[in-house]
Amino acid sequence: MSAIGKHVDEVRRTDVLVIGSEGTGARAAIAAADSGCKVLVATKGFVGKCGATLTADADIDVDSGTIAKLFALSGAHPDDSPQKFFEDMVKEGDWIGNQRLVQIHCEEAGPRVKELVDWGARVDKLTHAPGHRYPRGIWIEGPEIAKALTKQILARPAIALLETTMVTDLLLRGGRCVGAIGLDYRNGKVVAFEAGAVIICTGGAMRMYRYTTAPDELTGDGMAAAYRAGAELQDMEFPMFLPYVMIKPDAVNSIDFPYLLSAYLDAKALNRMGQEYMNKWDKERLAWTTRDVNSIAAMVEVLEGRGGPNDGTYISLKHLPRNIIANARAFLPEMIGRWRYGAFDMKKFLPDLNEDAIECAPASHFWNGGVRVNEHCETCIPGLYAAGEGTGGFHGGNRVSGNALTMTQVWGPRAGLAAAKFSKQDGRGEVDPAQVAALRAKIMAPMERATGSNPIELRNRVRHLAHRYLNAVREQRWLEHVLQELKTLQDEAKSVHVRDRSLTKYNMEWVEALQTENLLAMMEMVARGSLMRTESRGAMFRRDFPDTDGVNWLKNIIIRRDGDAMRLRTEPAVVTTLQPPRTTYRYSDQERV
């Protein structure tokens, strides 16, 4: 038995450990395996059936000029280019995205998406979403992407899979990341991983919120583990919200079908008095503005007492002639045109759109910030890499539609290639048995306590607090209240207790208990970053600081652990070629660009 084997139920050794199996994780694993490394993919769910990629609607961005060259899609505009795509990304991210990373993203998007299509992902059509000057959204539904990538993973003998495993923490030795530890909740086994390099591809933390489009797995696990290990995170004050998701009935709560309609038809956003409130925020684009502005505008209407009975606003198509709505299916992406959303027939849940509006609310949709990386997806910890959602620097204050999936296809391979190179050069590091023993005790603690706080009840309190005080619209007093409440929640989380002591079945209460620490860390980062940023920008609107400050706040907020404390500092946004406006202007003033 190895030195660490006596502390865990299983030890897995590999050249490259990829944490997360879907859009980004799959591409990272494929690239690392094709570089000659043995790869182990540990995933919280089941490969091809979990994570955000599967739930994508889904447009994947490539500049229209490249689309005209590489894909046989009607509507591509030859005047578009990677450079114009870059300009739109930087501007719509409100100027604080890392321009070096954005340039790579836009230049490599076409070839990487072409690989995905060559692997069998079925393309529907080309779409044009708000925030883009040209049509750039290659519509490939999430299940198509998952199917194509899963097939590629299974075709590579060098890639091993470990499903139903929540990686809880990273293992360090001599300042280097040498592996990880986690729980296989299918059988209750604690698993230690020894690896030459580790790649975090675990996505965001949207399940922190009451309304969210994200699946259950997205609880900030990778970001929180990286933070505890000493990695830097950035832009955590910018969780992104998607406007116009359904509120009622409960069966379709948080489904974004109304938003999809608004993105492709001339919808009107109305308050409960029937007023078209978007003319106060973007007189030119109205409801077809970007999602950050739409979400903030809707939340302000509700906060100022003009919301509907379920604290929402309304999307209306009643002004459109009946035959335009009836014939729209021929021009919409296939899923929307069939009035389908996954397995749901939306006609059963929507009102008569020729007569009635849909009451909607914004929902947590994407995590703009995350682990800080460079162009090779390296963190500040040798041997630790991160890619995809949950990494910072790419989107700045706001992500335009379609770039989440592009991110998976561009940055997953980059992380895989870099991690494979590191592993080949440095080999596997030595794992510290004492660290493994301590982290195993942490995993087992909720199961060994006879009494303690309830993880489900704690999660519900987190969601209520985030929904009320950490939504896209914030104020100093609300943020200070969150930080005060967090002290109580964090104390209670130290004694979280699992009532179901079963080790031999899918014990999701145990998983919930382990997720609590991660969600609370994410909440603290959002609150502290929001309190520090005394302006409104992108996906965050400070009612007490309603202007965008291009004089003092063309900066990124960097977060790092210092003992038991969370330390924040600022660094100037990375500017290469596109100079931002260094003035103060009204939030959402589109004339600024």
Side-chain angles (χ1 to χ4, degrees), residues 532-533 552-553 555-558 568-572:
M532 187 178 195
R533 185 173 287 278
N552 300 299
W553 274 109
K555 302 173 183 177
N556 303 108
I557 295 175
I558 314 300
L568 283 70
R569 73 177 193 277
T570 63
E571 289 191 7

Side-chain angles (χ1 to χ4, degrees), residues 49-124:
K49 298 179 181 178
C50 66
T53 302
L54 186 68
T55 64
D57 290 322
D59 48 337
I60 180 167
D61 287 343
V62 175
D63 74 275
S64 209
T66 299
I67 290 173
K69 297 173 184 176
L70 296 182
F71 304 91
L73 290 176
S74 62
H77 203 299
D79 290 345
D80 195 13
S81 66
Q83 178 62 27
K84 291 178 181 178
F85 184 11
F86 161 80
E87 292 168 2
D88 287 356
M89 260 189 88
V90 173
K91 291 175 182 178
E92 296 297 350
D94 264 343
W95 303 99
I96 59 168
N98 182 324
Q99 292 189 21
R100 187 175 298 114
L101 301 183
V102 176
Q103 194 81 56
I104 293 170
H105 177 97
C106 297
E107 290 173 354
E108 296 187 4
R112 290 305 189 190
V113 175
K114 181 65 164 55
E115 288 175 344
L116 182 65
V117 174
D118 289 344
W119 289 340
R122 185 177 63 88
V123 174
D124 183 353

Side-chain angles (χ1 to χ4, degrees), residues 121-291:
R122 185 177 63 88
V123 174
D124 183 353
K125 59 184 63 178
L126 181 62
T127 64
H128 189 175
H132 295 281
R133 280 179 286 175
Y134 298 92
R136 295 184 179 128
I138 299 175
W139 196 274
I140 308 174
E141 292 184 13
E144 285 289 321
I145 297 172
K147 182 171 63 174
L149 292 177
T150 299
K151 184 177 180 180
Q152 290 298 313
I153 286 178
L154 297 178
R156 286 166 169 78
I159 301 177
L161 302 175
L162 185 60
E163 299 176 315
T164 65
T165 298
M166 177 185 176
V167 172
T168 58
D169 283 283
L170 301 170
L171 300 177
L172 304 178
R173 192 73 177 257
R176 172 188 167 184
C177 183
V178 294
I181 191 169
L183 171 70
D184 183 344
Y185 59 85
R186 173 176 42 189
N187 51 34
K189 289 183 177 181
V190 176
V191 185
F193 304 90
E194 293 181 345
V198 176
I199 310 174
I200 296 173
C201 305
T202 52
M206 290 79 74
R207 296 302 293 187
M208 184 174 85
Y209 287 93
R210 175 181 172 188
Y211 296 133
T212 178
T213 63
D216 289 342
E217 296 87 11
L218 280 293
T219 52
D221 305 338
M223 289 185 286
Y227 168 75
R228 290 192 290 269
E232 294 180 336
L233 291 90
Q234 74 174 75
D235 301 333
M236 293 296 283
E237 67 272 34
F238 294 114
M240 176 189 153
F241 294 83
L242 186 78
Y244 316 138
V245 305
M246 298 187 73
I247 306 174
K248 296 289 183 179
D250 290 339
V252 289
N253 179 289
S254 294
I255 281 182
D256 64 345
F257 200 82
Y259 167 72
L260 296 172
L261 292 176
S262 76
Y264 298 107
L265 295 172
D266 182 22
K268 293 185 183 298
L270 308 174
N271 61 25
R272 67 176 174 83
M273 293 173 284
Q275 297 168 330
E276 193 171 359
Y277 58 84
M278 285 308 302
N279 55 22
K280 295 182 289 186
W281 297 85
D282 189 342
K283 292 181 180 179
E284 179 182 347
R285 298 190 289 190
L286 298 175
W288 213 69
T289 191
T290 51
R291 297 174 293 186

Side-chain angles (χ1 to χ4, degrees), residues 257-567:
F257 200 82
Y259 167 72
L260 296 172
L261 292 176
S262 76
Y264 298 107
L265 295 172
D266 182 22
K268 293 185 183 298
L270 308 174
N271 61 25
R272 67 176 174 83
M273 293 173 284
Q275 297 168 330
E276 193 171 359
Y277 58 84
M278 285 308 302
N279 55 22
K280 295 182 289 186
W281 297 85
D282 189 342
K283 292 181 180 179
E284 179 182 347
R285 298 190 289 190
L286 298 175
W288 213 69
T289 191
T290 51
R291 297 174 293 186
D292 53 340
V293 179
N294 258 321
S295 295
I296 286 166
M299 290 176 186
V300 168
E301 289 299 305
V302 173
L303 286 168
E304 295 182 354
R306 296 184 292 275
N310 296 299
D311 289 334
T313 56
Y314 296 89
I315 276 294
S316 174
L317 299 175
K318 184 178 179 179
H319 60 288
L320 296 178
R322 184 177 294 272
N323 60 337
I324 286 182
I325 296 177
N327 295 331
R329 63 175 300 170
F331 309 102
L332 296 171
E334 181 183 353
M335 177 189 72
I336 309 170
R338 293 188 291 114
W339 298 94
R340 304 289 298 184
Y341 193 94
F344 290 102
D345 180 355
M346 296 308 298
K347 289 182 179 179
K348 296 179 180 179
F349 300 98
L350 293 169
D352 181 353
L353 298 179
N354 295 108
E355 297 295 333
D356 297 317
I358 314 166
E359 188 178 3
C360 307
S364 177
H365 181 63
F366 185 82
W367 212 261
N368 285 317
V371 181
R372 195 179 190 209
V373 296
N374 63 13
E375 59 268 35
H376 305 295
C377 300
E378 296 170 313
T379 71
C380 62
I381 300 175
L384 179 63
Y385 299 77
E389 184 183 12
T391 56
F394 302 90
H395 307 292
N398 176 57
R399 174 178 71 79
V400 288
S401 181
N403 263 336
L405 287 173
T406 305
M407 196 179 190
T408 68
Q409 302 307 295
V410 171
W411 297 98
R414 278 190 157 256
L417 291 170
K421 182 178 179 181
F422 181 92
S423 180
K424 287 179 177 180
Q425 290 176 343
D426 290 57
R428 285 201 301 268
E430 185 179 354
V431 173
D432 180 0
Q435 186 185 25
V436 172
L439 291 173
R440 177 197 170 88
K442 174 183 166 185
I443 291 171
M444 297 303 300
M447 298 287 283
E448 295 172 349
R449 296 186 185 106
T451 60
S453 54
N454 184 313
I456 309 301
E457 191 265 339
L458 280 176
R459 162 74 81 90
N460 289 336
R461 286 162 62 190
V462 165
R463 296 179 73 191
H464 171 77
L465 198 62
H467 175 75
R468 176 62 183 85
Y469 300 109
L470 269 186
N471 240 307
V473 180
R474 301 167 204 160
E475 291 186 16
Q476 178 176 336
R477 59 195 174 111
W478 298 346
L479 297 169
E480 290 173 344
H481 175 73
V482 169
L483 291 171
Q484 188 62 40
E485 289 295 308
L486 267 172
K487 294 178 182 178
T488 301
L489 290 169
Q490 287 166 340
D491 285 342
E492 292 184 30
K494 294 174 183 176
S495 62
V496 69
H497 156 67
V498 176
R499 293 167 296 177
D500 182 355
R501 304 294 185 87
S502 173
L503 295 175
T504 58
K505 66 177 184 180
Y506 296 84
N507 191 332
M508 299 311 296
E509 187 184 11
W510 192 1
V511 174
E512 191 75 68
L514 297 176
Q515 291 172 167
T516 302
E517 179 185 20
N518 300 335
L519 287 168
L520 293 174
M522 296 299 101
M523 179 177 279
E524 184 175 356
M525 291 183 200
V526 175
R528 292 194 183 280
S530 302
L531 193 59
M532 187 178 195
R533 185 173 287 278
T534 50
E535 63 155 0
S536 294
R537 185 181 295 271
M540 185 196 77
F541 185 76
R542 286 282 302 265
R543 294 181 80 190
D544 42 355
F545 294 96
D547 292 331
T548 302
D549 186 350
V551 177
N552 300 299
W553 274 109
L554 285 171
K555 302 173 183 177
N556 303 108
I557 295 175
I558 314 300
I559 299 176
R560 192 168 188 177
R561 184 180 182 182
D562 182 7
D564 292 331
M566 187 175 286
R567 303 298 183 194

